[in-house]
Amino acid sequence: MGLYDSQRDPDEQRRAFTSGEVPVSVVGLGKMGLPLAAVYAETAGEVIGVDVDQGVVDGINEGRSHIKGEPGLSDLVAEQVEAGRLRATTSAAEAAEAAAVHVVIVPTPLTDDHEPDLGALTAAVEGIGEGLSKGDLVVVECTVPPGTCEGRVRPLLSSVSGLDEDEFGVAFCPERTSSGRALKDIRGAYPKVVGGADEESGRAAELIYGELTSNDIVPMADATSAEAVKLFEGVYRDVNIALANELAKLDRDLGIDVNEAIDAANTQPFCDIHTPGPGVGGHCIPFYPYFIMKYTETDTPLLRTAREVNDSMPAHTVHLLADGLEAMGRDVDGSTVAVLGITYRAGVEETRKTPAAGVIDGLNARGAKVLAADPLIDDIESFGATPVDAADIPDEDVDAVVLVTAHEEFADIDWGRLEDALLVDGRGVLEEWCGEGDYRILTIGGGERVSGQ
Ligand SMILES: NC(=O)c1ccc[n+]([C@@H]2O[C@H](COP(=O)([O-])OP(=O)(O)OC[C@H]3O[C@@H](n4cnc5c(N)ncnc54)[C@H](O)[C@@H]3O)[C@@H](O)[C@H]2O)c1
Ligand SMILES: CC(=O)N[C@@H]1[C@@H](OP(=O)(O)OP(=O)(O)OC[C@H]2O[C@@H](n3ccc(=O)[nH]c3=O)[C@H](O)[C@@H]2O)O[C@H](CO)[C@@H](O)[C@@H]1O
């Protein structure tokens, strides 16, 4: 049963939606899509998931989740598949034939020259178009450039399906989910932003998300406004991380511990300076500024500069390490350096735009022998480093250790055996992890202060 322009009573529509009478297809079953499909199955009663990866599809149909580090997801997927409420296929068209609500959450990455790559979105929308029926609703959750739903998705659906644009609904309802807490976020950690390509699309989308989330709905005037909300959230974060990183670089000029000053500045509510680090990774924050920069005529120097500042941090981290070794009478050329963390964020198996890549490249360029450890990554060699188990690092006679990503497993390293090494702390955790001892810890933003001296 379609919800768009159905002329049926909204209460009857809500009953139908939560009774399995409005099947849902979810296209893209990754870190965001599988949790979303599982919550839709729990709420709506019938979900057909779609993924191009046959292994992903087969695993889900056997009741297994392929996503690590998501509390509750494995059990929810098993439960929903067992109950016949969730199944998966590689065909978006087959799923679209069976569904009346179609949700798209496929990757929207950048090309090498920072152009948004909407190839997966286009393929998903074409597949949906082949099975689209009058009265259906298409919801885009993956982050897209402003104007995509109204200017690209809706016309493409009309062209492929043969339906007029006013015979089906299109809405943008951004994913506000962080890996590691996906089910909590999807179920209602934050209000759900909803923007329809037309008024009826917005109404239908508000109705279904009113059942999915325990939190409020934030209705926007149109889909483009909702697309902008998601991008604004992301660029706010990139710019504010860049501010923290720029201030961190002033530590020696000012002769202070900038992190201490940031913490103090943040003790009053009008200041929320973020945390300096070795760089900004992932396929959200570093990507979203380009979704605005490449799609607006008006210049955006702040967004551009913030990207430059954040992308300069891996090199700054290597520079800090080289200076620290020199102060110890050692040369980074010929030294052995262990890099802790390849993924962009602790506990998340994602390496896109990871700062670790720039740190490793910078160390290799300076002639260091680079080891690296990450509990979530198997192909460490592909990043230009020799894999090592974190626990074995004290046996490797390293000259320096640089912490890029603070996986909790690294706290268990026998730090007491690393007192002769320079420790470069990218995430402000080593003083706590090392405890008492005669350590040489250089923290990004920490100035000349070498902890433990
Ligand atoms: N990961 C996050 O923290 C996050 C947060 C908010 C929003 N998002 C948005 O969600 C999108 C997806 O993120 P993710 O972390 O789930 O990505 P992911 O890489 O973990 O998963 C993407 C999945 O989509 C599948 N896929 C690719 N092309 C497809 C196609 N044409 N049809 C069907 N399936 C296809 C892949 O096989 C993969 O399983 C991101 O691009 C971003 O726009 C992500
Ligand atoms: C729904 C959604 O889209 N959610 C996003 C998701 O974003 P994400 O998964 O990309 O994670 P982020 O936390 O943004 O980290 C990105 C990179 O920036 C580094 N960083 C971070 C903070 C800081 O002060 N200093 C830093 O250097 C960090 O190490 C990492 O490399 O979750 C965030 C909430 O966690 C959300 O705000 C954000 O919208």
Side-chain angles (χ1 to χ4, degrees):
M1 179 194 111
L3 299 175
Y4 179 81
D5 199 21
S6 76
Q7 307 305 320
R8 291 178 69 167
D9 172 61
D11 287 337
E12 164 56 16
Q13 289 185 326
R14 285 187 192 90
R15 184 204 60 73
F17 176 68
T18 54
S19 308
E21 296 172 29
V22 183
V24 178
S25 76
V26 176
V27 184
L29 298 173
K31 293 187 294 301
M32 295 294 107
L34 183 53
L36 185 62
V39 174
Y40 258 107
E42 182 183 53
T43 307
E46 182 179 357
V47 169
I48 310 99
V50 182
D51 203 289
V52 291
D53 185 325
Q54 187 67 55
V56 167
V57 166
D58 294 344
I60 290 167
N61 286 330
E62 291 161 10
R64 284 184 288 106
S65 162
H66 61 290
I67 303 297
K68 296 175 186 169
E70 283 299 351
L73 182 60
S74 293
D75 290 345
L76 186 60
V77 169
E79 173 194 298
Q80 296 304 313
V81 170
E82 172 67 26
R85 299 162 70 97
L86 172 63
R87 67 182 188 275
T89 174
T90 56
S91 165
E94 173 200 322
E97 288 286 351
V101 172
H102 315 268
V103 184
V104 186
I105 183 152
V106 295
T108 50
L110 287 182
T111 62
D112 290 343
D113 54 11
H114 295 128
E115 292 290 339
D117 175 358
L118 303 184
L121 175 73
T122 302
V125 170
E126 286 171 341
I128 291 169
E130 289 171 33
L132 194 67
S133 303
K134 186 175 179 183
D136 283 4
L137 174 68
V138 177
V139 174
V140 176
E141 283 225 1
C142 47
T143 309
V144 294
T148 299
C149 285
E150 295 178 23
R152 183 188 188 113
V153 171
R154 185 161 62 167
L156 182 57
L157 287 166
S158 175
S159 160
V160 173
S161 66
L163 295 171
D164 292 336
E165 289 190 5
D166 63 2
E167 292 185 296
F168 59 88
V170 174
F172 184 74
C173 308
E175 185 62 70
R176 282 179 142 183
T177 304
S178 302
S179 289
R181 39 173 297 153
L183 293 182
K184 189 185 299 183
D185 287 352
I186 293 165
R187 284 171 171 152
Y190 317 113
K192 185 73 178 179
V193 171
V194 170
D198 58 23
E199 191 173 336
E200 173 60 8
S201 297
R203 183 203 65 80
E206 286 175 44
L207 185 140
I208 64 171
Y209 280 99
E211 299 306 314
L212 214 71
T213 177
S214 60
N215 209 312
D216 299 330
I217 300 291
V218 180
M220 304 303 295
D222 50 39
T224 303
S225 299
E227 290 163 346
V229 167
K230 177 63 187 171
L231 295 175
F232 288 7
E233 291 171 8
V235 297
Y236 167 86
R237 196 158 176 81
D238 199 47
V239 166
N240 279 281
I241 297 169
L243 172 61
N245 285 332
E246 179 140 304
L247 295 177
K249 287 181 170 180
L250 302 179
D251 57 354
R252 299 184 180 196
D253 280 358
L254 297 172
I256 66 169
D257 179 339
V258 165
N259 300 305
E260 184 185 29
I262 287 174
D263 290 344
N266 286 343
T267 55
Q268 54 91 13
F270 307 108
C271 193
D272 178 24
I273 302 172
H274 288 24
T275 309
V280 175
H283 61 353
C284 295
I285 306 307
F287 285 7
Y288 294 167
Y290 294 102
F291 283 22
I292 291 178
M293 288 192 272
K294 296 285 185 179
Y295 279 72
T296 51
E297 293 299 319
T298 309
D299 191 17
T300 52
L302 181 59
L303 303 189
R304 187 170 60 249
T305 305
R307 286 280 75 239
E308 289 165 7
V309 170
N310 288 332
D311 282 348
S312 77
M313 294 313 286
H316 176 71
T317 304
V318 172
H319 179 71
L320 199 62
L321 184 144
D323 273 4
L325 283 178
E326 189 180 342
M328 294 164 68
R330 300 183 195 177
D331 190 339
V332 63
D333 186 5
S335 67
T336 300
V337 181
V339 173
L340 293 182
I342 297 287
T343 64
Y344 84 98
R345 180 153 77 88
V348 180
E349 186 187 5
E350 176 64 67
T351 60
R352 275 174 279 199
K353 289 285 284 177
T354 180
V359 170
I360 292 169
D361 290 349
L363 290 168
N364 281 324
R366 289 175 181 247
K369 175 189 172 192
V370 186
L371 313 176
D374 191 299
L376 298 178
I377 301 300
D378 297 328
D379 63 339
I380 285 179
E381 294 93 335
S382 69
F383 288 88
T386 304
V388 63
D389 284 341
D392 296 339
I393 287 172
D395 301 324
E396 295 289 340
D397 191 23
V398 295
D399 296 290
V401 176
V402 52
L403 180 86
V404 174
T405 306
H407 290 299
E408 58 186 14
E409 292 85 348
F410 295 152
D412 299 332
I413 289 172
D414 186 356
W415 292 97
R417 293 176 55 210
L418 289 165
E419 288 191 345
D420 292 338
L422 173 69
L423 306 178
V424 177
D425 189 358
R427 297 297 176 191
V429 296
L430 288 186
E431 286 192 36
E432 180 189 340
W433 286 0
C434 293
E436 291 303 313
D438 188 19
Y439 297 100
R440 290 177 180 76
I441 300 174
L442 277 179
T443 302
I444 292 176
E448 300 286 354
R449 191 171 63 84
V450 180
S451 308
Q453 295 297 297

